[in-house]
Amino acid sequence: MGDRWDGEAGFETIVERHRRELHVHCYRMLGSFDEAEDLIQETFLRAWSKRATFNRGDNARAWLYRIATNACLDVLRRRRRVSAMESFAEVPWLQPYPDHLLDQVSPSERQPDEIVVARETIELAFIAALQLLPAQQRAALVLREVIGWSAAETAQALDTSVPAVNSALQRARRTLRGRRSTDSDGRRTELSAEENELLRRYVDLHENPQPTAMVALVRDDIRITMPPQPVCFIGWDSLAPLHELAFGPEGLGDWKVRPTVVNRMPAAACYRRATGDNAYRAFKLDVLRFQGGLIAEITTFERPVFDWLGLPTEL
């Protein structure tokens, strides 16, 4: 059944029905939760101003996706594109997306056209890889392969031709070849038992530091990045000084860690109690990628992300 609205109240009802999935769409396109917040507001302002052009027999969801996509394209055309990416250090605007909000995008009897946000379409590696693509290629790939639109629907949304969409999609696939997740269970939305156990061990080694045990938990070529900081550490030798700074005898203090999930990936919300303080305060969020039963990558985000992740800033 098509969407209908009559007046401002009806418009707001339709907008709220699709708000979260459109927000996720803007996040994929831009890689930034903050920018997605701005773009979802811009999308609804544009939709309201163009409401007279909406054909009541059309699909409001598709109409809103078209507006949201073009709002994102306007931003991307003004932004410097990542030309090469060795690590997330080249994507300083990369931010995490909370799973409790991803869970709001799910099919229901009343809204069967909405889709579950699977891991393969939202994990940090995929979001970062999208930043390598020119704006039109990025939109074509997301609309075709993530949202599941036909070439004709995508061409209409991008105001281009079907051959142009197919060409853009092919070029996007070539660029991303080898950068997509190889996880055979990438469509899942929950952590595996192994991931939960490895996350538990990581949390325990924060609260009860044991350098030798931490060495055994990470790959020799572990990679650590800290968006928006343009730094990348590779291997335990580069990580060891950071570990000593945080957990050594003259370290940063005591730690409490709350396991969580962002981007369908295991994460650890880390709280630090400085000497003389009586509270553990939000310090960093570590997002973990496991490979072969070991930690292969840690992406660390700063304290401000706690606010939209719904995490307390103090324990």
Side-chain angles (χ1 to χ4, degrees):
M1 182 173 64
D3 288 317
R4 300 287 189 274
W5 69 69
D6 294 300
E8 186 172 351
F11 177 81
E12 290 179 357
T13 298
I14 299 302
V15 161
E16 287 305 315
R17 180 179 303 170
H18 301 293
R19 175 183 291 274
R20 182 53 56 198
E21 63 172 318
L22 288 167
H23 189 276
V24 174
H25 176 60
C26 292
Y27 170 75
R28 283 195 187 98
M29 290 287 291
L30 302 172
S32 164
F33 188 95
D34 282 337
E35 286 188 307
E37 288 279 278
D38 293 338
L39 263 293
I40 200 67
Q41 298 306 319
E42 174 66 18
T43 294
F44 295 145
L45 286 173
R46 291 188 185 191
W48 178 249
S49 68
K50 297 176 183 292
R51 65 191 184 281
T53 68
F54 177 70
N55 185 329
R56 294 301 181 93
D58 289 344
N59 184 312
R61 177 175 181 261
W63 185 70
L64 289 169
Y65 261 101
R66 177 175 184 170
I67 294 172
T69 300
N70 281 284
C72 290
L73 290 175
D74 288 344
V75 171
L76 293 174
R77 290 180 182 120
R78 298 192 298 266
R79 178 198 281 176
R80 176 186 63 83
R81 181 169 61 87
V82 178
S83 57
M85 188 176 65
E86 296 299 321
S87 74
F88 298 160
E90 281 81 45
V91 193
W93 58 85
L94 183 68
Q95 294 177 329
Y97 202 105
D99 266 43
H100 72 273
L101 296 183
L102 294 175
D103 290 339
Q104 293 178 11
V105 184
S106 59
S108 67
E109 185 176 337
R110 296 185 62 186
Q111 301 173 47
D113 54 352
E114 294 182 353
I115 57 174
V116 171
V117 181
R119 178 170 183 164
E120 64 184 358
T121 71
I122 201 68
E123 63 182 4
L124 289 177
F126 178 64
I127 299 300
L130 286 175
Q131 310 309 302
L132 286 166
L133 300 176
Q136 199 82 351
Q137 290 182 30
R138 192 180 312 185
L141 185 135
V142 171
L143 291 174
R144 291 281 283 116
E145 295 200 341
V146 178
I147 308 303
W149 282 10
S150 68
E153 290 170 324
T154 301
Q156 183 179 19
L158 300 179
D159 194 23
T160 189
S161 66
V162 168
V165 166
N166 289 336
S167 176
L169 181 59
Q170 289 173 4
R171 293 198 302 273
R173 285 171 173 168
R174 282 197 298 269
T175 299
L176 297 191
R177 190 173 294 130
R179 292 183 177 272
R180 303 285 291 271
S181 172
T182 57
D183 182 357
S184 61
D185 195 20
R187 294 198 63 79
R188 71 176 184 269
T189 60
E190 297 181 354
L191 300 186
S192 67
E194 180 185 48
E195 286 175 321
N196 275 309
E197 173 58 20
L198 291 169
L199 177 58
R200 184 198 65 76
R201 289 169 59 190
Y202 184 78
V203 167
D204 183 63
L205 289 175
H206 258 69
E207 297 183 343
N208 305 285
Q210 301 173 48
T212 302
M214 182 62 82
V215 171
L217 187 60
V218 305
R219 286 174 54 98
D220 292 340
D221 61 350
I222 184 172
R223 182 170 59 187
I224 304 95
T225 51
M226 306 176 178
Q229 305 303 324
V231 295
C232 178
F233 302 91
I234 298 177
W236 176 257
D237 287 345
S238 65
L239 178 60
L242 299 178
H243 193 271
E244 178 67 18
L245 175 65
F247 305 107
E250 310 209 357
L252 296 176
D254 298 324
W255 295 87
K256 288 288 185 186
V257 181
R258 174 174 292 187
T260 186
V261 188
V262 300
N263 295 75
R264 305 302 193 199
M265 302 175 71
C270 303
Y271 297 80
R272 178 178 73 100
R273 184 179 67 184
T275 303
D277 200 349
N278 61 359
Y280 290 87
R281 306 186 188 279
F283 189 78
K284 65 187 176 87
L285 177 85
D286 289 341
V287 184
L288 311 177
R289 181 175 65 84
F290 299 122
Q291 186 176 344
L294 297 172
I295 300 174
E297 187 166 21
I298 302 174
T299 310
T300 297
F301 295 98
E302 298 174 348
R303 179 237 168 273
V305 305
F306 281 64
D307 295 333
W308 72 72
L309 294 176
L311 294 167
T313 56
E314 215 177 89
L315 295 180

